[in-house]
Amino acid sequence: MENVIYFNKNLKSVDSKLHAKLGIRGRRAVDLAIMGLPIAPGFIIDSDMTKTLPQINIKEMLKDNIIQMEKDMKKKFGDSTKPLTVKVVLSSDLNVPHFPSIHNVGMNSTTVEAFGKSTGLDFAYGEYLFLLRNLAKHIYTVDPKDLKEIEKPLGKKATRESVKQVVESYKKYYGEKFSEDVYDQLGLIIKGSAAKYCDSDIDVDNSLSIMVQAMVYGNFGSNSYAGNYYTRNIITGNSDIQGDFLQNEFDFGRGKVKEIKSIDKKFYANFTDVARKIEDNFKEIRNIKFTIEEGDIWLVEQKEADDKSTQSQIKALLDLAKRKVVADTYLIESIKPNQLNELLHPVIDPRTIKAMKSIKGGIAGSTGAAIGRVFFSTPKLLEEHKKAIMKGADTNLILVMPASYAEDVKAIEVAQGVITSEGGFSSHAPVVARSLGKVAMVQPDMKIRGNSFTLSGKTVKEGDYVSINVPYYDDPTIYIGRVGLIEPDFKNNGLLEFLDIVEKHISDFNVRANADQGRDAVVAKDFKAIGIGLCRTEHMFFNEKRIMKFREMIIAESEAERRKALDILLPMQRSDFYDLFKIMKGYPVTIRLLDAPLHEFLPRSEASMNEFIKYMNTRKKGIKAAEIKTRCEELGEMNPMLGHRGCRVAVTYPEIYEMQTRAIFEAACMLKKEGIKVTPEIMIPIVMSEQEIKFIKIGKKIEGKEVKGIRDIMKEVVDEYGIEDLDYKVGTMIELPAAALGAGNIAQYAEFFSFGTNDLTQTTYGLSRDDSNSFFPSYSLFDLMKLNPFKYLGEEVKELIGVAALRGKLSRPDIKMGLCGEHGANPDNIQFCMDTGLNYVSCSPYSIPLAKLAIAQINIKKKAEEKK
């Protein structure tokens, strides 16, 4: 019949139209058969015919197919010596668990006794009862009271006789709905299944088909086995198959489960061969269910390995690519960019969390997993970190605070992770954590009181262990206690090899790194960044050896005092830039001159203020604590993010930018003399108009006061080092609507634009990235703002970027443009950047692989569309 297909290992092909009507489970079986693998044979009634089953006679069709099945299995349906039993499987295009399977069809008073000779009569009658019970549960509507009455004889501990009694009661209850004639029995079950489930609420797409497949058993003696295995290790991706089996047993819940590697060598070799063939065919890791019945291997089914790790998926695809089974493009398109987070950060070992108390919820800040003892302030965490190092104790620590600030960067740097109760994805702690490769989350429901926090009725005290899991695909989770972690291994987890292939599909548009320190640059280079798109120089001053000197400079009351402090800081900055330039030799390094409000560097806590006062007493004799506190208070601002920051500092204190610029050029000259190519790009932040960048780039003389421009400082340094010339660029961040609209004029002095989309989003919408989470949930509830604008570029921000890009190019056709905000690694934003004519995105080192993959996928898609 054209609506029925018989399958066994000799099946050569299936018409594509028929194949589409077999449902997911039916297609899985047929695909194994076409591959010539030893699938337990059977037949499938397609979805068209299944709809008509209650009205037609199918007995002859059943007999024709069962006869073929008997030949393949060397058993007889309804036989009194070696009976064949089958299962009826409902197969739909919907991969849902609601469609049942009915096992052991063909059991009757004769076959159950014959079956028991191989398995034992207790097991045989248990399977007979299982058949009848499932008919009550899935096919026939049985009143729960009747069901309870039927099974009453089983009591607390069933015996063979009580099972027999219940079997007879079921048969009597079913009457004509159940037959001792095995063909009639099979027909009734198939028709009953079709009548109940076709066009039902769960058969929403009318795709239901019915598969009848031979049953095989792994408890027919010492040479019988049952189990399942993956085509490779689903955690590491190693090519050895991974799974479990039972020998001459049936129940995985009670039996003695063994690892697949301990099975007989001839079976293991067979399974390994099958695994390679299945991976080659399906181009992915699969899970295979098998039975060995008296030495004969049968594959029961195969399905997708939904629980596989990204590492195992990538390693499988890399193996397939090496064997030319798949093209590079298939490999690249098979992985979603966010999946790479699993390879870049630690992940929770699922085997260690079963008994752990956990609290799910919050906002993901920086993906990964971390464990550590909790501390509630930067000084305390740093103190504990030092103690742990001295004592050889556990240095894994978690910083917990309402919110973090500039002076907390050093704590985030040594901690494994950070939890805050305020802010969102783009607030301070997550941004810093992403740049450092640390784990971060925001938990608004967390209540911090002194040296403890309370969440969901659970209290965690200072020094207690917590574990945090921040996946890319789900809400964060806090575990109370220590879990196990699986640490990333870039050299062995397939990531670098994968990136080599991705790189082949990167063209003009590329990725730079947000990197402030040498180690960040090294990671970025490993991930094939084509330079540094944002070096935040303010982060360089948070080091314990520098912060005091920088604070001393900030509170200086005269230019002379400031320059004295800056002279000490200059060689430190020069060393920083030297390292970055040398690591990134040949690639551009964009250095943003000091941007953060000066008051952010000043002490916020009593402990850090006391420490600063103590330092100042060694630097300036006679200075009083009250004077220092007063000076710090004077520098405070009501709205610092729109206050005295960025290029405004260069206007009031030009000596600060002069020191930084000199350090940049000195580092560049030192390397040029060593024969190393250096391309510094000096970026001026928070510019409103062309007048500011002109002032900083060219300098100014007015009323007896001279402010050196970047150009002047470069000439001085080049002369000092005896170098003819130095290739450098001066550009600006476009992070204010005024700058975006005035980009045409700004481009007369700026050789590159870098769109700082964090601040551009804040200033466009009047939103604070640190405070917006307090009302975002309500906005989402009422559909007032569907997407978080600090993750996804808003339309108004896109419009400003588009206007700025166009006007900038009209003034300077060769201008280079990039985006260096936290939006840079989001694939949706990357597509916009490419369409708008930008040259690159810049993101934190651990986001580079995500951005690279997104770009490659966009390029592949574009090429495919061009060929159409």
Side-chain angles (χ1 to χ4, degrees), residues 400 448 512 546 551-552 560 609 623 643:
V400 178
I448 300 174
R512 296 190 191 182
R546 302 183 185 185
R551 286 172 176 168
E552 179 185 355
M609 178 58 80
I623 192 168

Side-chain angles (χ1 to χ4, degrees), residues 309-327:
S309 68
T310 297
Q311 176 173 327
S312 65
Q313 184 182 3
I314 284 180
K315 294 194 82 170
L317 288 166
L318 287 169
D319 284 351
L320 291 169
K322 286 175 185 175
R323 299 201 305 274
K324 307 297 182 184
V325 176
V326 301

Side-chain angles (χ1 to χ4, degrees), residues 462-481:
E462 191 162 77
D464 290 349
Y465 274 96
V466 300
S467 305
I468 55 177
N469 186 35
V470 186
Y472 70 90
Y473 52 82
D474 202 359
D475 291 335
T477 301
I478 297 176
Y479 295 91
I480 310 300

Side-chain angles (χ1 to χ4, degrees), residues 644-657 695-696 707:
H644 193 193
R645 58 173 287 208
C647 67
R648 298 159 194 173
V649 172
V651 175
T652 53
Y653 305 132
E655 55 273 15
I656 296 178
Y657 273 23
F695 172 79
I696 295 168
V707 174

Side-chain angles (χ1 to χ4, degrees), residues 354-420:
K354 292 179 181 177
M356 299 286 291
K357 292 179 181 178
S358 63
I359 304 141
K360 191 172 184 178
I363 301 166
S366 180
T367 51
I371 59 172
R373 292 177 290 144
V374 166
F375 291 95
F376 294 88
S377 70
T378 288
K380 184 64 175 175
L381 185 139
L382 293 174
E383 180 186 342
E384 288 298 321
H385 188 255
K386 288 179 181 177
K387 286 181 181 177
I389 291 173
M390 291 174 65
K391 295 178 180 179
D394 186 6
T395 57
N396 291 314
L397 309 173
I398 303 288
L399 180 65
V400 178
M401 306 180 80
S404 70
Y405 299 93
E407 70 173 7
D408 301 311
V409 171
K410 52 192 175 186
I412 298 174
E413 189 174 0
V414 302
Q416 298 303 307
V418 55
I419 310 171
T420 58

Side-chain angles (χ1 to χ4, degrees), residues 526-733:
D526 284 344
F527 293 154
K528 305 187 185 306
I530 59 157
I532 292 174
L534 175 62
C535 168
R536 293 155 290 204
T537 54
E538 56 269 17
H539 287 187
M540 295 172 165
F541 298 114
F542 295 135
N543 183 288
E544 284 185 79
K545 295 178 180 178
R546 302 183 185 185
I547 189 64
M548 294 301 183
K549 293 179 178 66
F550 196 73
R551 286 172 176 168
E552 179 185 355
M553 183 274 295
I554 292 171
I555 69 167
E557 296 190 70
S558 69
E559 181 181 336
E561 286 184 358
R562 272 191 299 278
R563 286 190 177 277
K564 189 175 179 181
L566 288 167
D567 286 343
I568 298 172
L569 290 168
L570 188 146
M572 300 177 185
Q573 282 268 270
R574 184 177 60 216
S575 174
D576 293 333
F577 300 143
Y578 179 92
D579 287 345
L580 292 178
F581 290 150
K582 192 166 186 177
I583 293 165
M584 284 290 169
K585 57 184 176 182
Y587 288 120
V589 175
T590 305
I591 297 170
R592 183 179 72 187
L593 300 180
L594 188 69
D595 181 33
L598 291 178
H599 89 283
E600 277 203 8
F601 296 92
L602 298 175
R604 300 185 68 89
S605 67
E606 186 178 349
S608 58
M609 178 58 80
N610 291 336
E611 193 178 350
F612 181 48
I613 291 169
K614 186 178 178 180
Y615 166 81
M616 285 302 298
N617 284 328
T618 66
R619 300 290 298 165
K620 192 174 183 182
K621 291 183 179 180
I623 192 168
K624 296 179 181 179
E627 292 179 54
I628 297 170
K629 290 180 180 179
T630 300
R631 180 62 177 145
C632 289
E633 289 170 5
E634 288 173 352
L635 290 167
E637 296 181 80
M638 295 296 290
N639 193 354
M641 295 313 293
L642 296 177
H644 193 193
R645 58 173 287 208
C647 67
R648 298 159 194 173
V649 172
V651 175
T652 53
Y653 305 132
E655 55 273 15
I656 296 178
Y657 273 23
E658 181 183 334
M659 179 277 287
Q660 291 192 292
T661 304
R662 173 170 281 276
I664 291 169
F665 289 136
E666 287 187 2
C669 287
M670 289 168 66
L671 286 164
K672 190 167 184 179
K673 292 187 82 169
E674 294 175 24
I676 295 173
K677 184 181 178 182
V678 178
T679 312
E681 296 183 346
I682 300 172
M683 184 156 68
I684 302 167
I686 214 77
V687 162
M688 295 184 292
S689 71
E690 74 277 9
Q691 295 300 326
E692 291 162 314
I693 189 169
K694 179 183 177 182
F695 172 79
I696 295 168
K697 184 177 182 180
I698 300 174
K700 200 156 192 174
K701 292 180 180 179
I702 186 169
E703 296 179 2
K705 183 174 177 63
E706 179 183 0
V707 174
K708 291 180 183 177
I710 292 173
R711 184 178 59 184
D712 301 321
I713 299 165
M714 186 277 293
K715 289 178 180 177
E716 286 181 6
V717 174
V718 164
D719 289 343
E720 289 170 13
Y721 278 80
I723 290 174
E724 289 185 9
D725 198 8
L726 191 66
D727 182 24
Y728 75 100
K729 286 183 172 66
V730 177
T732 186
M733 286 193 91

